[in-house]
């Protein structure tokens, strides 16, 4: 199989090292779960400059492949991890992702995911608007998330359709932003930009059904990603951020 060489085009020298570690951790956890249908490219070599992996030959995102992805992801999420967070910082797309290990998922998500992104907002009025809601609702939000998260799962962390590839044998996961958290954070992101079929969600729910408050959590978890996009790409993402923030404001 021919190689694919990914060059580090970011300003962060460790970006590809973080990615390589994430790929290896996903692969190991899928093996632990007995999942062979969902694959992860093997890291042939990695440095600050380049990441070398096998090249994936494109194939169809068929209903059968989407079913494999849903089932495999559910089984990976069912593997119980020891704590929430992660033991080192890494990246979420083009942004630093702050991490620590903790037993308190709700506090971690409020402070280390939403709080960090809100603190990065450059517009002081918008930053105050978001910080005020988090300040008023943070404890309620953390309690909700803790009550409806069964255990830490390994998350891909950046699970949109562009980070799932297909060949003729089925799905591959690429470009992770791994950490341990509520599995529904991964599922929420699959709905942010579309591209996952009904077969994916049906297969996932047959193995590991989503919680009754998933629709509320979807907005909460996707606030992290819409804030990240707002901070990276500007005001076109502000309205989605405010919609998701409104769900928190109404808790």
């Amino acid at each position: 199989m021919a190689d694919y060489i990914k060059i580090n085009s970011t300003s962060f020298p460790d970006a590809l090292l973080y990615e390589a570690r994430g790929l290896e951790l996903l692969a190991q956890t899928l093996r632990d779960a007995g999942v062979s249908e969902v694959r992860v490219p093997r890291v042939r070599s990695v440095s600050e400059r380049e990441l070398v992996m096998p090249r994936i030959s494109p194939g169809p995102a068929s209903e059968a492949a989407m079913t494999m992805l849903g089932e495999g992801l559910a089984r990976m999420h069912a593997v119980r991890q020891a704590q929430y967070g992660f033991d080192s910082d890494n990246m979420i797309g083009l942004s630093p992702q702050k991490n620590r290990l903790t037993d308190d998922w709700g506090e971690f998500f409020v402070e280390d995911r939403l709080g960090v992104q809100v603190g990065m907002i450059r517009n002081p009025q918008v930053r105050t608007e978001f910080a005020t809601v988090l300040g008023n609702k943070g404890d309620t939000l953390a309690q909700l998330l803790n009550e409806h998260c069964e255990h830490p799962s390994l998350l891909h962390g950046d699970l949109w359709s562009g980070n799932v590839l297909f060949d003729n044998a089925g799905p591959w996961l690429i470009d992770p932003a791994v950490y341990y958290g509520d599995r529904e954070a991964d599922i929420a992101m699959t709905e942010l930009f579309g591209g996952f079929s009904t077969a994916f969600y049906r297969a996932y729910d047959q193995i590991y059904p989503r919680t009754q408050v998933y629709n509320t959590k979807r907005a909460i978890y996707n606030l992290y990603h819409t804030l990240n996009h707002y901070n990276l790409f500007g005001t076109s993402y502000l309205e989605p951020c405010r919609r998701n923030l409104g769900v928190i404001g109404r808790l």
Side-chain angles (χ1 to χ4, degrees):
M1 184 179 289
D3 285 343
Y4 171 76
I5 301 175
K6 182 173 182 176
I7 303 299
N8 186 3
S9 59
T10 78
S11 60
F12 299 95
D14 291 336
L16 295 179
L17 303 178
Y18 295 145
E19 182 175 340
R21 187 182 178 202
L23 290 169
E24 291 167 345
L25 191 54
L26 280 174
Q28 181 59 57
T29 308
L30 286 164
R31 286 193 295 270
D32 292 344
V35 175
S36 58
E37 300 85 0
V38 179
R39 295 155 296 159
V40 177
R42 185 168 63 86
V43 175
R44 298 198 194 278
S45 66
V46 64
S47 66
E48 291 184 356
R49 180 179 177 274
E50 65 180 33
L51 172 61
V52 181
M53 303 173 286
R55 184 176 296 276
I56 298 168
S57 300
S62 65
E63 293 298 275
M66 280 288 178
T67 297
M68 288 180 195
L69 180 62
E71 291 177 348
L73 194 67
R75 284 156 55 193
M76 185 188 83
H77 283 162
V79 176
R80 290 175 175 264
Q81 305 293 337
Q83 287 185 289
Y84 298 102
F86 203 54
D87 61 6
S88 68
D89 295 343
N90 52 16
M91 302 281 293
I92 174 66
L94 298 173
S95 298
Q97 181 166 258
K98 306 297 288 183
N99 288 307
R100 60 188 169 94
L101 287 170
T102 178
D103 295 320
D104 191 327
W105 165 243
E107 180 189 64
F108 176 82
F109 191 80
V110 171
E111 294 183 1
D112 297 73
R113 290 294 177 262
L114 299 183
V116 167
Q117 286 290 334
V118 168
M120 292 168 61
I121 296 174
R122 289 180 290 275
N123 182 306
Q125 289 80 22
V126 175
R127 187 171 62 247
T128 297
E129 171 191 348
F130 280 72
T132 298
V133 174
L134 279 191
N136 291 337
K137 295 292 185 175
D139 290 345
T140 301
L141 174 57
Q143 183 178 349
L144 171 76
L145 297 182
N146 284 333
E147 286 177 355
H148 297 281
C149 178
E150 297 166 291
H151 60 82
S153 301
L154 178 66
L155 306 184
H156 177 283
D158 197 8
L159 193 63
W160 69 289
S161 57
N163 287 341
V164 180
L165 301 180
F166 297 89
D167 64 11
N168 289 328
W172 294 81
L173 296 176
I174 63 168
D175 291 354
V178 296
Y179 65 101
Y180 302 110
D182 182 354
R183 65 194 177 94
E184 291 186 322
D186 260 355
I187 304 306
M189 195 183 185
T190 67
E191 297 199 66
L192 186 56
F193 301 116
F196 293 78
S197 72
T198 302
F200 166 81
Y201 299 101
R202 184 189 311 118
Y204 186 94
D205 287 337
Q206 285 177 346
I207 300 292
Y208 199 171
R210 285 170 283 175
T211 64
Q212 292 182 339
V213 297
Y214 168 74
N215 287 343
T216 298
K217 289 201 290 180
R218 177 178 58 200
I220 293 165
Y221 290 146
N222 282 342
L223 178 58
Y224 175 53
H225 299 293
T226 53
L227 280 170
N228 184 43
H229 280 71
Y230 171 64
N231 284 325
L232 287 171
F233 306 121
T235 56
S236 63
Y237 288 95
L238 182 54
E239 188 55 37
C241 288
R242 283 178 166 144
R243 284 198 302 270
N244 291 330
L245 184 72
V247 173
I248 296 175
R250 292 188 291 273
L251 291 177

